[in-house]
Amino acid sequence: KPEVTQKQLHHLLKLSALPLPKDNVEEARMLKTLESQIHFVKEIQKVDTTGVEPLVAVRDETQEHIQEQTVTLDKLQPFLDLEDKVGNNGTIRRRKSKEVVHDSGWDPFALGVGQDTRKVGRFFMVKKEKEKKSTD
């Protein structure tokens, strides 16, 4: 006996603002997919999670990573040193840094070859050849 009926599938598709299946084959495939997903969730629900702390987020939650990501005055100091107060109101103006603070080593010009890459000011452009349509 299927877990999801045709009526339930159509109702879910309507709630999701998705189109109804075009034919019986597509509908059978949708029902099979939905039933396999429900089966997967039921199997996951059977796992004993006693004593396991809930996951807050999918990220590194170790103490070292938290300290690394915490913004401190020491981390901000190089940027604060580039600021000057000017004028009567003490408007902050930032001097340009002579050194690159974070260099990822990524070379965007390596994406193109020869004439395929062009630099315009501080921007770059990589040309992509259009796909050729096959003539049968």
Side-chain angles (χ1 to χ4, degrees), residues 5 10 13 19 21 32 38 41 48 56-57 63 67 104 120 129:
T5 65
H10 287 217
L13 290 171
K32 184 178 179 183
I38 291 170
V41 170
D48 181 23
V56 175
Q63 192 61 34
Q67 287 176 341
S104 65
V120 180
E129 190 174 312

Side-chain angles (χ1 to χ4, degrees), residues 97-130:
S97 173
K98 295 191 183 347
E99 65 182 62
V100 177
V101 178
H102 295 288
D103 182 15
S104 65
W106 178 64
D107 181 15
F109 299 105
L111 294 174
V113 179
Q115 294 296 324
D116 293 340
T117 302
R118 294 204 169 72
K119 184 176 178 186
V120 180
R122 61 186 182 118
F123 301 101
F124 67 93
M125 176 180 69
V126 177
K127 286 190 171 186
K128 180 179 178 186
E129 190 174 312
K130 291 183 180 181

Side-chain angles (χ1 to χ4, degrees), residues 1-135:
K1 179 182 176 185
E3 296 181 31
V4 181
T5 65
Q6 178 186 15
K7 185 178 177 182
Q8 290 171 324
L9 174 66
H10 287 217
H11 183 67
L12 287 172
L13 290 171
K14 183 178 176 184
L15 290 175
S16 303
L18 294 172
L20 294 176
K22 297 174 187 166
D23 53 22
N24 291 338
V25 174
E26 187 178 16
E27 183 174 77
R29 190 171 51 244
M30 285 180 164
L31 284 168
K32 184 178 179 183
T33 302
L34 188 55
E35 287 174 9
S36 68
Q37 291 170 346
I38 291 170
H39 174 72
F40 175 76
V41 170
K42 286 183 177 181
E43 290 300 312
I44 293 294
Q45 289 174 337
K46 291 178 185 176
V47 175
D48 181 23
T49 57
T50 307
V52 177
E53 290 187 33
L55 181 66
V56 175
V58 181
R59 64 175 182 249
D60 188 357
E61 295 179 350
T62 61
Q63 192 61 34
E64 295 83 21
H65 182 73
I66 292 171
Q67 287 176 341
E68 180 182 309
Q69 296 298 318
T70 302
V71 177
T72 63
L73 185 57
D74 292 337
K75 291 180 183 177
L76 289 176
Q77 197 60 50
F79 302 100
L80 295 173
D81 291 342
L82 295 173
E83 294 181 348
D84 292 324
K85 289 185 180 178
V86 295
N88 293 334
N89 295 329
T91 304
I92 295 176
R93 300 280 186 217
R94 183 167 292 125
R95 294 186 310 273
K96 289 187 177 184
S97 173
K98 295 191 183 347
E99 65 182 62
V100 177
V101 178
H102 295 288
D103 182 15
S104 65
W106 178 64
D107 181 15
F109 299 105
L111 294 174
V113 179
Q115 294 296 324
D116 293 340
T117 302
R118 294 204 169 72
K119 184 176 178 186
V120 180
R122 61 186 182 118
F123 301 101
F124 67 93
M125 176 180 69
V126 177
K127 286 190 171 186
K128 180 179 178 186
E129 190 174 312
K130 291 183 180 181
E131 291 183 25
K132 295 179 182 178
K133 294 181 181 177
S134 62
T135 56

